[in-house]
Amino acid sequence: MPTLSVVDAAPNPRGRVGVVGLGYIGLPTAACLAGAGFEVIGIDVDPRVIEAVNAGRAHIVEPGLDELLSAVVDGGRLRAVLAPEPADIWLIAVPTPVGHDQFRTPDLSYVDAAADALAPVLKRGDLVVLESTSPVGTTRRMIERLSAARPDLRFPQDGRPEAEVDVDAAYSPERVIPGRTLEELAINDRVVGGATPRAARRAAALYRHMTSGELLQTDDRTAEFVKLAENAFRDVNIAFANELSMVCDQVGLNVWEVIRLANHHPRVSVLTPGPGVGGHCIAVDPWFIVAQAPEAARLIRTAREVNDGKPDFVLAKIGAVLEADPQAVVACLGLAFKPNVDDFRESPSLDIARALTARYPGRVICAEPYADALRDPGELVLKPLPEALETANAVLALVAHDEFRALPRPRVPVVDACGLWK
Ligand SMILES: NC(=O)c1ccc[n+]([C@@H]2O[C@H](COP(=O)([O-])OP(=O)(O)OC[C@H]3O[C@@H](n4cnc5c(N)ncnc54)[C@H](O)[C@@H]3O)[C@@H](O)[C@H]2O)c1
């Protein structure tokens, strides 16, 4: 089978792409590449994912993905398997969480496992692109691991001239926003960092089939840090908004009004406060920087602490309402980590609802339009929105899902952590 060569934009995709990890990033990427004409094999360790994908169904909620999947699966361009089969280009999009230890140590075991799984089927001429958000040096770590498993192949290490490299390696972070993944995959600019310039060019040639955005070539370590810098930027700015909300509460001001007015300044754009910061990315990635440069990354660490502290503030506010009226029952609106997604990872709203339920058993009801995707509701009492509002005599707005936006402000005590009624 012909492999993708060093071209700027190959009009006719040829070659087989293996995408390791079929989650929020890997699955839409695999579907888009298949839609662009590649033969794609999706690899995932979760049999439920394999089953759903091969049936042409997405196991995640993402607008347009079901339609695209069923077209490319029916057309024979995408199939999912549990273990890697030979391919020409590899994309790795597996989780990269942080540990719960005090140093939030990055957990690279999924990347290691993905490298171990694909090493046996690697061959001369392959390109391996890591997409998982990673601490600086992870692509090099992956190369070392692949090299240890395949001493018969030459990898880009130890200053080896690129002409002597058998397997190219690159890093390209993903910037899409869940809920608009397909749209953004097709237009976002992309940073493509090669362990060698050839690897960057080859990876850029692949992505040219997917995006009309700029393909910005650099080295792998720079590309790794760019992604972390982007998410730390977001986190620091959200921390500023969250801190303003707590200061305004203390001095008796409406933070939404303050921000609205401040944002009329031509060079000010304060973000929206919320119940904290969640998800797989912004709440996690800045820790990679802190772990690598703890002395230098003081602002980034403080921002993380401010955002991680916000759920306690929200809990105290709604706790005061429940303490003031021992008969009060509160409806928590939204549990996802942000509006209009079925993603509950690191969700501060979910943490708040769980803590409230534990503290005030029988007095907390939750309404979440995406509750079907919540794998482990535990003790949470989930009800449809109308029933939750009918039963409750206090409301805690946690996530500004579209479904909640049309609601008039309830005539009961409200703690609005997400600006639903700003
Ligand atoms: N979700 C986002 O919006 C987003 C945005 C940018 C970057 N990222 C980054 O992309 C990476 C993937 O994130 P995600 O949200 O797609 O994760 P996810 O949890 O949705 O999907 C990961 C998939 O990988 C599978 N998997 C785990 N180990 C595997 C292995 N060894 N071999 C094959 N499959 C394996 C899991 O079963 C799962 O289906 C992470 O590093 C994340 O930080 C995510």
Side-chain angles (χ1 to χ4, degrees), residues 281-365:
C281 295
I282 297 178
V284 172
D285 306 343
W287 288 118
F288 294 172
I289 301 180
V290 175
Q292 285 192 309
E295 300 296 324
R298 288 183 299 153
L299 176 63
I300 293 170
R301 184 191 188 118
T302 302
R304 272 289 64 243
E305 286 165 355
V306 169
N307 287 331
D308 276 354
K310 189 70 193 287
D312 284 339
F313 170 85
V314 176
L315 271 171
K317 297 298 293 177
I318 191 66
V321 173
L322 292 174
E323 296 292 341
D325 175 3
Q327 304 306 316
V329 171
V330 63
C332 296
L333 305 191
L335 302 172
F337 90 84
K338 65 177 193 170
N340 306 321
V341 297
D342 68 336
D343 193 341
F344 299 91
R345 289 174 294 180
E346 314 284 331
S347 170
S349 304
L350 185 59
D351 290 346
I352 290 167
R354 287 206 158 115
L356 262 187
T357 305
R359 212 173 287 174
Y360 302 99
R363 299 176 63 193
V364 182
I365 304 169

Side-chain angles (χ1 to χ4, degrees), residues 126-329:
D126 282 3
L127 164 69
V128 184
V129 185
L130 178 63
E131 286 199 359
S132 300
T133 305
S134 300
V136 174
T138 307
T139 309
R140 303 282 163 108
R141 172 187 169 116
M142 178 190 76
I143 291 168
E144 294 302 324
R145 210 162 170 104
L146 293 173
S147 169
R150 291 297 303 272
D152 56 316
L153 291 170
R154 292 171 300 177
F155 289 83
Q157 50 187 171
D158 308 326
R160 176 173 283 134
E162 103 177 339
E164 293 173 14
V165 169
D166 291 328
V167 176
D168 283 328
Y171 179 80
S172 184
E174 189 46 77
R175 297 172 154 160
V176 293
I177 187 164
R180 284 179 44 196
T181 299
L182 293 184
E183 195 185 326
E184 292 208 353
L185 276 176
I187 57 167
N188 282 358
D189 294 347
R190 226 184 152 111
V191 177
V192 184
T196 60
R198 183 178 71 190
R201 287 199 302 278
R202 288 185 69 192
L206 172 77
Y207 290 118
R208 180 44 75 223
H209 291 283
M210 230 168 60
T211 179
S212 59
E214 264 190 80
L215 294 164
L216 306 149
Q217 295 179 36
T218 181
D219 64 84
D220 52 328
R221 297 178 80 249
T222 303
E224 287 165 346
F225 193 67
V226 167
K227 172 68 188 177
L228 304 184
E230 289 167 2
N231 280 351
F233 174 88
R234 300 272 304 149
D235 199 45
V236 167
N237 281 281
I238 297 169
F240 179 74
N242 277 337
E243 189 161 294
L244 282 189
S245 72
M246 294 184 278
V247 172
C248 282
D249 182 73
Q250 204 164 317
V251 297
L253 290 171
N254 178 338
V255 68
W256 310 105
E257 180 71 348
V258 168
I259 291 174
R260 185 182 73 80
L261 296 172
N263 283 349
H264 277 265
H265 184 294
R267 284 165 295 283
V268 170
S269 181
V270 181
L271 299 182
T272 308
V277 171
H280 197 332
C281 295
I282 297 178
V284 172
D285 306 343
W287 288 118
F288 294 172
I289 301 180
V290 175
Q292 285 192 309
E295 300 296 324
R298 288 183 299 153
L299 176 63
I300 293 170
R301 184 191 188 118
T302 302
R304 272 289 64 243
E305 286 165 355
V306 169
N307 287 331
D308 276 354
K310 189 70 193 287
D312 284 339
F313 170 85
V314 176
L315 271 171
K317 297 298 293 177
I318 191 66
V321 173
L322 292 174
E323 296 292 341
D325 175 3
Q327 304 306 316
V329 171

Side-chain angles (χ1 to χ4, degrees), residues 8 19 43 68 86 91 97-98 100 113 164 183 244 287 295 339 351:
D8 286 325
V19 179
I43 299 109
L68 178 59
L91 299 184
V98 287
H100 290 288
E164 293 173 14
E183 195 185 326
L244 282 189
W287 288 118
E295 300 296 324
D351 290 346

Side-chain angles (χ1 to χ4, degrees), residues 20-21 23-25 44-45 94-96 110 132-133 174 178 281 345:
V20 186
Y24 286 92
I25 297 303
D44 203 288
V45 289
V94 294
T96 43
Y110 297 89
S132 300
T133 305
E174 189 46 77
C281 295
R345 289 174 294 180

